[in-house]
Amino acid sequence: MNTNNEMPKAYEPADIENKWYPLWEQRGYFHGEANSEKKAYSIVIPPPNVTGILHLGHVLNNTLQDILIRWRKMQGYEVSWFPGTDHAGIATESKVEKTLRESGEPGRDELGREQFIEKVWSWREEYGGAIIKQLRKLGTACDWERERFTMDEGLNNAVRKVFVDLYNKGYIYRGQRMINWCPVAKTALSDEEVIYKDVDGKFYHYNYPLSDGSGVLQIATTRPETMFGDTAVAVHPDDERYKQFIGKTVDLPLTDRKIPIIADEHADPEKGTGCVKITPGHDPNDFMVGQRHDLDIIAIMNDDASLNAKCGAEFEGLDRLVARKKCVKMLEEQGLMVEIEDIKHAVGYSERGDVPIETLVSAQWFCNMKELAKPAVEAVKSGKINFHPQRWSKTYDHWMENIQDWCISRQIWWGHRIPAWYNDETNEIYVGLEAPSDGGSWTQEKDVLDTWFSSWLWPFSVMGWPEKTKTLEYFYPTCDLVTGPDIIFFWVARMIMAGCEFMGDIPFKNVYFTSIIRDDQGRKLSKSLGNSPDPLDVIDIYGADALRFSIIYIAPVGMDIRYSNEKCELGRNFANKLWNACRFRLMQGPVTEGFRDLSGVNHDLLTPDEKWIISWINEAIIMTNKSLEDFRFHYAVHEIYELVWSTFCDWFIETSKVRLFGNDEEKQQVLQVLDFVLFKILRLLHPFMPFITEELAHQMGFLTEEQTIMQESYPRPLANLNIPSIMEKDHDLLDLVEAKFQLVRAGRSLRANAGVPDGKKINYFIKATDQINADFLNSEIASLKILLKAGNIEISLIDYDVASHGAAPSQIANAGIIYLPLDGLIDLEEERKKLNKQKKELEGWIKGSIAKLSNEKFLSNAPEKVVSAAQGHLEEMKQKLERVESLISDLK
């Protein structure tokens, strides 16, 4: 508590952040325990990759979660925000391999499985906690005592149990299927790990000679190198052009093989020539054709996407792209190439490897998702789970209703090893929590599970499942999930399925999908573009609170964010404004006793301005709580910004100076109102800007050293606090106050238009709308003089007399017409000359612009931007002319 009524002049965020976060954590303010006397509120963090470094997407996501946690804690809930990191199988293995290479140490293959995994664990212990430390810099109120890692022993047990249970139910199986393959990571990928990019490519049209010499069939493909895996050419059974060829064979170019011509509806007579090469080992559709016609499956690729021995000695070992060029050249030399067409097409890329994937047939482990999806679909359709924005539910429904089997095995070492064993003698497969104990010779499956197979259990595995813990009983299901829409299939949908299957209940009630952050040019943030700032650098410059506040302020619901570091100046300026307001208040004396509830104030003696600010704080409380309930964080921040910056600082603090410099009774009353409003503002703002609000609550003397604003109650509507409903009782009075401030804005505008310096005291004349406004304005004359920086203000119901008072520009407001007599302020004759000169110049510019924009040659030849700029400039000059003519009229 501050006892000397002094505050540092400047707000220094780094000092304050470094002071408060360790205290919060040491005192256990972030920790939640099962408490039968309180309602539970819990969130699980989307676990960042253990390889991860904080970026702006994390800032947005975790700021939103922190807002919810702090808000609910202040509302009286027992809260716990479960943090942790994901082992990120492919990413982490790649990272460690790169580290070993760079340090000159033996690589993955030289080390072998056990030693390599030891290296990964060592790397994780040394570097894996970086992002967790960085999250603390942001101010996140995570329950760090509950931090988990997806490779923890407890989570590993959960993963094994789920695999075994689903295997025993017949959902998990091992089979030969067409899968996606990453040639960089050398592992299978799920469909969701494939990103489609539009790239430039070529369509190759070439001939397959009929084996009987009677002609050729022309096919077209983007990948001629896959011809070595062709086992047929398909035509549509009803295509009259090719019926006579069905059952014949063609000579497969560059090989000595003959392949059959088959009839299958996969061939589209309207597409190309109607003839399709069938490569069952490397195309999903061709695989299905092969199944129908019992065709051979020929795998022509090595695991690094080079061609294998089945392609012949000339091609064996060649990279797929090198092999493509060689195939094209040889087809041209043999006179078989007909045409090469430039195209743009969608190509599947490995999300992690960032290279084109291969589709190939492989023995993998799969999970049938159809039955698991049914209760998860119903959970969203019935409204048990709500998506925000709601439109994402359509995306979810479409994917879930067309869900495919999930390829869950990965050919890497870092991850949850599949709990399956193969009998070395009988090839029998055993699946269980532990290795077989029959004494036979068994070898465990080498593959590990997809990283998402542990992440989909996150909402309950972090709470101790499969054990029935008190934490699980109390905090599950969680309440809200904040995540990006890019992992709606990877993670959100699968968590819902897992919760319904293993807990018999949904994992959360609401899902808020964050916006995509782009730069000012609309580009996604990326290191390669150099437009992705380091949040820690931003925090060093502006402070964590400024970054948090700014990124929410510019994040409208469901729309992309346009970010630049300069936009954080908004948050920093706002923090400085609040700091200075508190400092001004503290300079007037120590905190009053009634700051929590106005207990020392006779409500009937409150001034109009005091009633007005209390009504505004009440409105802000209602709107902020409502916005947070509706996940409209953007609206909540704007509401608080307007309340603090304009309503409280620009209006109420200024008008309160009348009573601060009045008698002791008046000063004491306005101080109590200031304290009452300020403490509400600090609590209202705390979830958004935790550091500065904690510091100011102590600097102001609202809290003792042992207290924290985190444990204070979040502001509730004043009607709930036994304060008379000012809004209903004095509705007309509040309208008069609003009208007064509108009149002040009009008066300030007149001063600015006349070019009168701010520091110069001037006189005003106000013709009130009616007697009620006249009486009210007269009672507020001292306030008006301060707000308008006026020497004298005359208020009347009679029209302004130009003959008596001289020329005066005016503006109309609800309370009346305000005039600024110019006599003595400016040289009227000189001002008229200046304005008439401006008018003449503007008329000339407007005439020239109109002529230019009427010129057809200019309009047809000039770029659209130039024409648009010229039109905008013309409108701007017309508006200036209107203002100048208005000022000339005022001076008559």
Side-chain angles (χ1 to χ4, degrees), residues 762-766 778 780-781 783-786 788 790-795 818:
I762 53 179
N763 300 327
Y764 287 94
F765 179 94
I766 298 171
N778 272 307
E780 294 289 306
I781 200 75
S783 168
L784 285 168
K785 283 183 177 180
I786 283 181
L788 287 167
N792 184 58
I793 299 176
E794 184 179 343
I795 298 166
I818 184 167

Side-chain angles (χ1 to χ4, degrees), residues 137-151:
K137 289 287 290 180
L138 190 62
T140 53
C142 292
D143 194 341
W144 296 114
E145 295 176 42
R146 299 188 182 280
E147 184 183 346
R148 302 302 298 270
F149 178 50
T150 52
M151 289 283 283

Side-chain angles (χ1 to χ4, degrees), residues 32-34 82 146 462-464 469-476:
E33 283 288 352
F82 291 80
R146 299 188 182 280
V462 295
M463 299 184 192
T469 65
K470 287 184 179 179
T471 301
L472 186 65
E473 183 182 353
Y474 183 69
F475 282 116
Y476 188 92

Side-chain angles (χ1 to χ4, degrees), residues 659-729:
R659 292 170 69 75
L660 285 172
F661 304 129
N663 60 48
D664 288 345
E665 191 175 321
E666 289 177 340
K667 179 177 180 179
Q668 193 61 23
Q669 178 170 306
V670 77
L671 285 177
Q672 289 206 44
V673 174
L674 280 166
D675 291 345
F676 174 76
V677 173
L678 258 177
F679 192 44
K680 287 224 175 324
I681 284 173
L682 294 179
R683 286 181 288 148
L684 203 63
L685 181 61
H686 175 71
F688 306 90
M689 303 181 88
F691 292 110
I692 192 173
T693 50
E694 184 77 87
E695 177 70 14
L696 288 175
H698 285 82
Q699 287 281 358
M700 292 297 298
F702 296 142
L703 302 175
T704 65
E705 286 183 11
E706 294 75 29
Q707 293 176 308
T708 173
I709 196 169
M710 288 178 69
Q711 294 177 338
E712 292 292 319
S713 63
Y714 201 72
R716 294 177 294 159
L718 303 191
N720 297 345
L721 300 180
N722 203 27
I723 293 177
S725 180
I726 293 167
M727 290 64 66
E728 295 174 12
K729 186 176 180 181

Side-chain angles (χ1 to χ4, degrees), residues 198-215:
D198 286 329
V199 298
D200 293 326
K202 295 185 184 297
F203 217 25
Y204 301 93
H205 302 257
Y206 55 93
N207 292 330
Y208 280 16
L210 288 158
S211 299
D212 61 8
S214 61

Side-chain angles (χ1 to χ4, degrees), residues 111 138 142 149 249 273 283 304 329 343 372-373 439 490 556 567 644 648 652 655 730 743 765 824 834 881:
L111 287 168
L138 190 62
C142 292
F149 178 50
T249 63
T273 62
D283 182 274
D304 62 353
K329 184 181 179 186
I343 60 168
L372 293 170
F490 281 124
K567 290 181 179 177
V644 173
F648 183 67
F652 184 69
T655 193
D730 293 321
L743 196 70
F765 179 94
K834 184 179 78 175
L881 181 61

Side-chain angles (χ1 to χ4, degrees), residues 492-511:
V492 177
R494 288 172 180 162
M495 281 192 292
I496 297 172
M497 288 186 269
C500 293
E501 174 70 15
F502 300 107
M503 293 297 297
D505 200 357
I506 56 174
F508 30 71
K509 302 175 186 73
N510 294 286
V511 183

Side-chain angles (χ1 to χ4, degrees), residues 161 255 261 333 366 580 706 719 864:
K161 175 173 170 51
T255 75
I261 301 166
E333 289 171 350
F366 298 89
N580 290 333
E706 294 75 29
E864 188 179 335

